[in-house]
Amino acid sequence: MIVAFTPYSKRLRELASTRGDQVALVVETPDATETYDFPTYDERVDAFASGMMDAGVKAGGAVIVCGPNSSATVFATAATWRLGAFSVVISARASAQDLAAYIEILGERYPRVTVVSDHLTPGAGAGHVPLDALHEGRCDREIVDHNPVPARAIPSGGTTGRSKLIVDPAPVGYSDEPMLLSPLGFDDVDSILVYGPLYHTAGGNLLHLAIAKGYRTVLMDRFDAMRAQHLIEKHAIEFLFAVPTHLQRWLNLGDGLRRDAFRTIRSMYHTAAYCPPALKERWLEFMGPERVWEA
């Protein structure tokens, strides 16, 4: 069976031309809210790509994005793919030793590695561009879209404690065919809240998948139970991903946990760790079994 697939960068162009002022990305921090519609999102990706081209990023290379849950980290990752390079997002708290290890790993496969970071500067042999500088840039040239395969890897310390990269072999993009999350209600929503770190699979992959689907995607700088509940209500969120730790932290709010704040949730999917039966029972009662999924 042939599955219709649109690469991520091409999909962004399509959404920018067809979705007008529809919101693509909202970034929420305790102090500010950033909102980007689909045309602006696509323009920012071009601006980041232009700045990264000036730093030597091109098809066939690799980019390490070291940043927090922020619009800059999102745009830098998308720009990496637009330029045809391989992306690795690492924690903003990563050490110079961590960075050196990832550069060494990538250097075995890619002819040039570029680091996008405000606080980590690589040694000789790798390029560098500050994340904040990219956010200030503009694009005055045509950026040719690419489709790197593979496109990304997730960093992991693994059981040995040594830095390693887990490569995702799939391309990044959009398909209207059923996918892994389809049975969990992901195809039946139009808004999603992401609070997992962008250097984790559930954070980064889920965010870009939702953007490619054309959903209104809300990104938190970090998980906080009370703020997350507020944002679910504020943005009428319909899809959530959670791990048992998130579920327990919400319950820890006690009387502050409000059932009506979750009324717009159509599907809450939890996985990644063992969920104690008592915790699962509390959420089945709180949400209703028809809205809670586990995989």
Side-chain angles (χ1 to χ4, degrees), residues 67-263:
N69 277 19
S70 67
S71 58
T73 300
V74 173
F75 295 143
T77 305
T80 298
W81 298 329
R82 176 155 284 174
L83 294 175
F86 182 83
S87 75
V88 177
V89 178
I90 65 174
S91 170
R93 298 188 298 273
S95 67
Q97 182 178 1
D98 294 329
L99 178 63
Y102 294 129
I103 291 174
E104 181 180 0
I105 293 170
L106 291 170
E108 296 175 357
R109 175 174 294 187
Y110 295 95
R112 179 175 175 84
V113 179
T114 303
V115 176
V116 179
S117 173
D118 286 328
H119 70 284
L120 286 179
T121 303
H128 174 250
V129 58
L131 197 56
D132 281 348
L134 293 175
H135 227 330
E136 298 170 359
R138 294 291 183 269
C139 182
D140 57 3
R141 55 184 162 183
E142 181 181 0
I143 305 294
V144 178
D145 294 334
H146 292 79
N147 179 36
V149 181
R152 59 190 169 191
I154 300 297
S156 172
T159 56
T160 65
R162 297 183 61 185
S163 298
K164 56 178 64 70
L165 296 173
I166 302 173
V167 176
D168 183 348
V172 180
Y174 168 79
S175 172
D176 57 7
E177 296 291 329
M179 58 180 180
L180 181 64
L181 293 177
S182 296
L184 310 180
F186 190 71
D187 294 341
D188 304 318
V189 302
D190 62 18
S191 58
I192 178 173
L193 178 63
V194 176
Y195 36 66
L198 294 178
Y199 56 86
H200 282 176
T201 301
N205 290 12
L206 193 59
L207 180 139
H208 290 288
L209 177 60
I211 293 288
K213 292 277 282 185
Y215 295 166
R216 176 167 41 87
T217 303
V218 180
L219 174 66
M220 291 183 71
D221 58 321
R222 63 179 181 84
F223 180 80
D224 174 85
M226 186 62 80
R227 283 183 57 224
Q229 176 177 255
H230 167 70
L231 294 177
I232 290 169
E233 186 172 32
K234 174 183 176 181
H235 294 287
I237 297 298
E238 295 183 347
F239 187 91
L240 281 179
F241 167 85
V243 299
T245 300
H246 297 139
L247 301 180
Q248 185 59 59
R249 288 180 181 174
W250 267 316
L251 290 181
N252 290 345
L253 294 177
D255 293 340
L257 181 63
R258 295 172 32 240
R259 193 185 306 269
D260 63 311
F262 288 75
R263 66 185 181 279

